[in-house]
Amino acid sequence: MRLRHSHDQRAPCPPCVQVKRLCRSPAPDWEPLRFNVLRGSDNGAELFFTYFLRVQRIAYGDHASQFGELSVPAGDTLGAVVVIHGGFWHQRYGLELGRPLAEVLVADGFAVWNIEYRRIGGGGGGWPQTGEDVLAAIEAVDLGPVVTLGHSAGGHLAVWAAKHSARVVGAVAQAAVLDFGRHITARALELCAEEQFAEASPRALVPIGKPVVCVHGDRDEDVPVEQSIGFCAVEPQAELVVVEGAGHMDVITPGTEAWERCRSAVGRLAREC
């Protein structure tokens, strides 16, 4: 698969990527990004791992949270992935959670669009604004067909986007919030009113109409694995992957079995598109 070339000489975009100008922002530049991610502690001392990405920050709207970070491999691409971070839709969590995944996927040969969106808790989000931002971000950069990869609340958005965006060919849901009516209803009510569950909850939108791979640890302390089990029981194109001994953050921690299962699912869906 090759991405579409841009003929816009105003923007220093790499070959095969076309950025749609949806807002009056300066042409983006490619910059090296160095960042640290907290991975745990050892005898009380916090342990950080350092990652490096070459990214292009692109705004898809006028709000401070309407932007993303685009990273592409040096040569031909195997496909494109939209990474959607979690954090129960709260403002205090951002797209930095998706950067380690982007680094791995770019090295694998994928173009990666790691997106931010308006969130609740003072970030201008809620429903339908949060969902609308995800759809706008997917449309803002022309990467051809995309696989959405989302963690926790981002998994909710990844599956929701698969239902509503023609660009999305499939979704990998990592420890995803999939049924607002069970287990996590109190948290879902922070995002939207109960009468909006029918339009916001993936369980209520079945069939999604695209393949969905649900990867979930059986020791998830934040989103019960039953969220994925129940969704896959009713979604005809869903595949359930339960990782024994894995917790909520293992699915977004490179090097873990849970992450490798997500990585494999992304590659499989991208090849099938």
Side-chain angles (χ1 to χ4, degrees), residues 14-261:
C16 304
V17 176
Q18 179 177 339
V19 178
K20 293 184 177 181
R21 301 300 171 195
L22 300 184
C23 59
R24 291 188 295 274
S25 59
D29 294 319
W30 289 90
E31 298 179 352
L33 175 66
R34 180 180 185 275
F35 58 95
N36 296 325
V37 175
L38 179 64
R39 283 286 177 242
S41 61
D42 183 17
N43 295 325
E46 293 182 330
L47 298 178
F48 289 87
F49 283 65
T50 301
Y51 295 85
F52 297 90
L53 274 174
R54 188 166 177 259
V55 304
Q56 189 179 41
R57 180 183 167 117
I58 300 169
Y60 63 86
D62 294 328
H63 192 276
S65 291
Q66 292 174 322
F67 72 95
E69 294 175 349
L70 178 66
S71 301
V72 299
D76 290 352
T77 71
L78 299 177
V81 183
V82 177
V83 174
I84 311 173
H85 73 83
F88 277 111
W89 313 282
H90 268 271
Q91 177 70 14
R92 62 182 176 273
Y93 302 104
L95 57 63
E96 63 275 2
L97 292 169
R99 288 171 178 165
L101 314 188
E103 184 195 48
V104 173
L105 294 170
V106 169
D108 285 346
F110 292 98
V112 178
W113 177 221
N114 181 24
I115 65 170
E116 193 56 274
Y117 50 89
R118 284 175 290 177
R119 288 145 289 158
I120 59 177
W127 203 260
Q129 297 94 316
T130 295
E132 289 172 346
D133 278 5
V134 171
L135 295 182
I138 290 171
E139 290 296 323
V141 180
D142 188 355
L143 298 171
V146 301
V147 173
T148 52
L149 172 67
H151 175 237
S152 193
H156 152 245
L157 295 168
V159 177
W160 186 87
K163 176 73 175 184
H164 292 90
S165 173
R167 287 188 181 274
V168 179
V169 297
V172 178
Q174 305 168 285
V177 175
L178 297 168
D179 186 350
F180 285 12
R182 302 181 64 209
H183 311 117
I184 47 77
T185 301
R187 304 303 297 267
L189 287 170
E190 296 180 81
L191 176 71
C192 61
E194 188 171 0
E195 55 266 27
Q196 294 175 302
F197 283 9
E199 63 185 74
S201 175
R203 172 62 179 81
L205 298 174
V206 168
I208 300 301
K210 315 277 178 64
V212 178
V213 181
C214 297
V215 183
H216 218 126
D218 66 355
R219 295 190 180 179
D220 194 313
E221 64 280 12
D222 293 318
V223 179
V225 67
E226 287 77 15
Q227 282 277 302
S228 289
I229 293 172
F231 177 82
C232 290
V234 296
E235 168 52 54
Q237 294 194 66
E239 175 187 341
L240 177 65
V241 179
V242 177
V243 184
E244 185 177 352
H248 191 63
M249 301 301 287
D250 289 326
V251 289
I252 60 167
T253 302
T256 65
E257 178 189 355
W259 160 245
E260 290 302 321
R261 301 296 289 272

